[in-house]
Amino acid sequence: MNGRFKASGGAVGGGLLVAGTTSDAGKSVVTAGICRWLVRQGVRVAPFKAQNMSLNSFVTREGAEIGRAQAMQAAAARVEPTALMNPVLLKPGSDRSSQVVLLGKPVGELSAKGYHDGRQERLLGTVTDCLAELRRTHDAVICEGAGSPAEINLRRTDIVNMGLARAARIPAVVVGDIDRGGVFASFFGTTALLSKEDQALVAGYLVNKFRGDVTLLEPGLDMLRGLTGRRTLGVLPFSHGLGIDEEDGLRVSLRGAVRESVVAPPHGAEVLRVAVCAVPLMSNFTDVDALAAEPGVVVRFVDRAEELADADLVVLPGTRGTVRALAWLRERGLADAIARRAAEGRPVLGICGGYQMLGERIEDDIESKAGVVDGLGLLPVRVRFAAEKTLARPVGEALGEPVTGYEIHHGVAEVTGGDEAFMSDDQGRSLDGCRAGSVWGTHWHGSLESDGFRRAFLRRVAADAGRAFVPAPDTGFAALREEQLDRLGDLIEEHADTGALLRLIEEGVPEGLPFVPPGAP
């Protein structure tokens, strides 16, 4: 199979854009599925997303911040993630502004209007250079679009959908979520709202999340082809419990993980209940996916104080707005409920922004510009926000087990006491975080994916909570993730026209695709 693609150092590799009729249509998982299917055929493939808006991010080995969806897609492709795969990352700080991360490094805050009024357009050259480099070093690059390509109000400055496809001359397939309804109208309307030049690159459609007998769908697919001149290249069935990292799709990513935990019986006599406070601008909530993958651990997201009553562990996750999240906790009575838990010796875990909130004081002239703000006072930690963001991939030990993680934060923590450090080096010297009683805090995202440490931590939590919970001895989070990625590859292999997809990737845009009126105004 690999012989059909370019040899190393040869001509530019093939490309394909996976666009969608809407946000959350399934672009991220379809892109990952195509990557996994291709790499199993011996194809050197890389994922790419020109511009990603997400609070779920990851740190590459070279210290660059990219969207977690692209890191997941790189894992599907069995390649190391790099900044080239997501050159522009937008991290919302409010409804109107975002931090702009360019080639893995923050370059400032911009309003949505300021970004679309000029900055975005100027980034097209950077984006196409990154894509060209990936195509030079890989047989194929599978690009993920954003939102919908038919957002005609933003088409002039588009660098991630048809603007990218036009610049790189790559074909596009459009994914539609039939579980939402209206998929035929969405396919037709998306195509008909594109300009003639953009329509010439739309090569076909993929139906996602179909339930039932596909033969009942076929008359509609035939009519859609008659109306647009384009084939549907696959009907992917609804699949339970994938739980794959996406952008900010809390309902999608964690709904799957929670469902897995509910159906897996506990290894011990009792389950362990975890309540995650759904703070504003919540970031990297994927940290708790590893908890939800444990048999007998039930994870749920909460926003009311009374929902903490039966929780064995409360998690304060990361957030892009630490001071804002603190105010939210206080307004809803969650801060008082968490303080009562700590006083009773019941477990609390803070991760990144959640760790900062558990401290005594926050000095923030960077993120919120609020100055000095009192924290929850549950950990002996003082936090000062620095202008430079910490981006790192640390390695250490905790509870006698090896731990890896990644750091993404402006806050610098000064630990002034506590019972013990959370993360240490192999000599026992503190690397990060601390514990005071049953309250734990760390800046390290992803630490719970380290199997031995996760089991040790859950044993401590169960003991403090008085639960007869026993972690399963054989749960491997990395192996579970690999199984999920293989399931995505299976969906493409078994339910998509892989021959047609290969031709698009290898041969490019097909000739003679008809224009569907009225086109973009």
Side-chain angles (χ1 to χ4, degrees):
M1 179 67 69
N2 193 38
R4 299 177 62 186
F5 287 85
K6 72 179 184 70
S8 177
V12 170
L16 180 71
L17 173 68
V18 178
T21 56
T22 62
S23 296
D24 200 22
K27 297 183 293 291
S28 295
V29 295
V30 168
T31 299
I34 294 174
C35 285
R36 176 49 58 100
W37 164 67
L38 283 172
V39 77
R40 293 194 310 207
Q41 312 307 310
V43 176
R44 293 169 302 169
V45 58
F48 180 78
K49 185 160 186 174
Q51 172 194 294
N52 196 348
M53 178 172 281
S54 180
L55 288 171
N56 286 332
S57 57
F58 182 77
V59 179
T60 67
R61 292 200 183 279
E62 70 266 30
E65 185 179 7
I66 65 172
R68 268 197 73 98
Q70 280 61 67
M72 175 269 292
Q73 291 160 356
R78 297 180 180 145
V79 294
E80 188 67 33
T82 74
L84 292 173
M85 296 172 184
N86 180 206
V88 182
L89 173 64
L90 305 178
K91 303 193 73 174
S94 71
D95 290 340
R96 295 178 177 270
S97 67
S98 295
Q99 182 181 65
V100 180
V101 179
L102 180 62
L103 293 174
K105 303 296 180 183
V107 294
E109 296 273 340
L110 273 181
S111 68
K113 189 174 190 309
Y115 184 67
H116 288 287
D117 272 358
R119 180 64 181 266
Q120 184 182 32
E121 216 171 357
R122 293 196 296 271
L123 291 173
L124 181 59
T126 299
V127 162
T128 54
D129 286 348
C130 291
L131 176 56
E133 177 62 17
L134 288 174
R135 293 179 74 183
R136 187 184 68 81
T137 54
H138 294 80
D139 300 326
V141 179
I142 308 304
C143 308
E144 180 188 343
S148 164
E151 291 167 355
I152 54 179
N153 56 315
L154 302 177
R155 176 61 185 89
R156 180 182 61 83
T157 58
D158 170 51
I159 62 172
V160 65
N161 289 307
M162 303 315 296
L164 175 72
R166 288 264 294 273
R169 293 301 302 167
I170 57 175
V173 294
V174 180
V175 179
D177 179 358
I178 197 169
D179 201 44
R180 294 182 172 189
V183 74
F184 293 116
S186 297
F187 282 143
F188 181 84
T190 296
T191 308
L193 275 178
L194 300 179
S195 69
K196 182 177 181 179
E197 294 78 10
D198 286 351
Q199 285 191 30
L201 302 179
V202 175
Y205 310 111
L206 278 169
V207 175
N208 192 30
K209 298 183 186 176
F210 179 70
R211 306 172 191 251
D213 184 349
V214 72
T215 60
L216 299 176
L217 194 65
E218 288 171 353
L221 301 180
D222 292 339
M223 284 186 273
L224 180 67
R225 184 174 185 178
L227 289 167
T228 67
R230 291 158 174 85
R231 291 179 52 222
T232 297
L233 304 178
V235 177
L236 310 182
F238 191 98
S239 184
H240 287 281
L242 286 173
I244 294 293
D245 303 348
E246 299 198 57
E247 293 177 359
D248 289 318
L250 176 61
R251 293 180 299 101
V252 175
S253 180
L254 283 166
R255 182 183 62 195
V258 170
R259 180 165 50 243
E260 292 293 339
S261 72
V262 170
V263 300
H267 189 71
E270 294 183 299
V271 300
L272 201 70
R273 295 176 174 85
V274 179
V276 185
C277 294
V279 298
L281 298 174
M282 183 167 49
S283 61
N284 286 70
F285 54 76
T286 48
D287 283 332
V288 299
D289 280 358
L291 293 179
E294 283 284 350
V297 176
V298 181
V299 177
R300 67 183 187 273
F301 284 77
V302 304
D303 59 6
R304 296 194 302 269
E306 54 268 31
E307 293 178 290
L308 303 186
D310 67 343
D312 302 307
L313 170 66
V314 169
V315 178
L316 288 179
T319 172
R320 174 84 163 85
T322 303
V323 170
R324 176 178 167 183
L326 256 177
W328 181 87
L329 290 174
R330 288 178 169 132
E331 289 165 3
R332 290 177 170 262
L334 285 159
D336 289 339
I338 291 168
R340 287 194 297 270
R341 287 183 62 87
E344 295 165 359
R346 302 172 68 194
V348 177
L349 170 64
I351 302 173
C352 199
Y355 169 40
Q356 296 165 9
M357 287 187 276
L358 290 172
E360 298 168 345
R361 187 183 74 185
I362 297 171
E363 183 181 341
D364 181 12
D365 295 318
I366 303 297
E367 189 176 77
S368 68
K369 299 180 172 58
V372 178
V373 177
D374 288 336
L376 297 179
L378 303 180
L379 288 176
V381 175
R382 296 176 180 178
V383 175
R384 178 184 56 82
F385 274 63
E388 185 173 348
K389 182 184 284 191
T390 297
L391 297 169
R393 289 274 293 272
V395 176
E397 294 183 357
L399 302 180
E401 298 287 348
V403 184
T404 61
Y406 56 99
E407 295 184 67
I408 307 169
H409 53 93
H410 284 280
V412 178
E414 177 191 1
V415 179
T416 61
D419 298 317
E420 62 179 307
F422 201 160
M423 307 296 176
S424 303
D425 64 15
D426 56 6
Q427 303 298 313
R429 292 172 296 215
S430 174
L431 293 176
D432 177 78
C434 69
R435 176 182 69 85
S438 61
V439 181
W440 305 72
T442 177
H443 272 128
W444 291 18
H445 294 292
S447 61
L448 293 166
E449 295 180 16
S450 298
D451 296 329
F453 162 67
R454 182 181 64 255
R455 288 192 278 269
F457 179 68
L458 289 175
R459 283 192 289 269
R460 289 285 292 267
V461 168
D464 287 347
R467 288 286 184 191
F469 168 84
V470 179
D474 55 355
T475 302
F477 186 75
L480 289 173
R481 179 54 51 88
E482 273 296 297
E483 289 175 12
Q484 291 174 321
L485 294 173
D486 274 332
R487 288 175 62 192
L488 291 180
D490 292 344
L491 285 175
I492 297 300
E493 184 170 353
E494 296 168 10
H495 301 282
D497 185 339
T498 54
L501 291 175
L502 275 177
R503 285 191 294 275
L504 289 175
I505 294 167
E506 291 181 297
E507 301 171 10
V509 182
E511 297 288 337
L513 291 170
F515 173 68
V516 180

